[in-house]
Amino acid sequence: MSDAQILRTVLDRWKSAVDAHEPDRVASYFTEDAIFQGLHPYTVGRAGVAAYYAAQPLGLTAAYEIRETRRLADDLVLGYLEVEFGFTDRPALTVHLGVLLSRAGHDWLIAHYQVSRLN
């Protein structure tokens, strides 16, 4: 599987859970010790990821486009993306997202997630 396919597989699951407002399912796609930086103070671990997404408004959606990928090691894939978060009550927010995926057995999980707002 290519690096882009690995990213798409994980991020499609993430997007599905974000769009469905299922914070525990979102968190399940992260490693137990994932470093997570949304637009609020960072957290470590799945509980923090779940809490972050639980606090997001109903109707939040995510649409992403992969910009770059790098295979850092056999079990590590780096991705750089542009993500548009849609809301029901305000304009969409476009951010840049860096993720580091780590292989966990036959699956891949997000070990690092960092959002940036660049103009």
Side-chain angles (χ1 to χ4, degrees), residues 74-97:
D74 287 344
D75 59 351
L76 292 175
V77 172
L78 176 70
Y80 182 68
L81 309 101
E82 184 171 289
V83 181
E84 181 179 279
F85 288 104
F87 302 90
T88 60
D89 62 345
R90 61 184 182 253
L93 173 65
T94 301
V95 299
H96 300 274
L97 173 63

Side-chain angles (χ1 to χ4, degrees), residues 3-54:
D3 299 346
Q5 289 171 316
I6 291 167
L7 277 168
R8 273 192 203 89
T9 298
V10 173
L11 293 169
D12 284 352
R13 292 176 191 159
W14 167 81
K15 175 192 171 10
S16 172
V18 169
D19 291 356
H21 195 73
E22 295 179 354
D24 290 331
R25 185 161 63 103
V26 173
S28 74
Y29 302 128
F30 287 75
T31 62
E32 294 284 347
D33 62 348
I35 299 169
F36 179 87
Q37 175 68 63
L39 292 176
H40 303 291
Y42 86 98
T43 188
V44 176
R46 288 180 177 161
V49 173
Y52 182 89
Y53 282 102

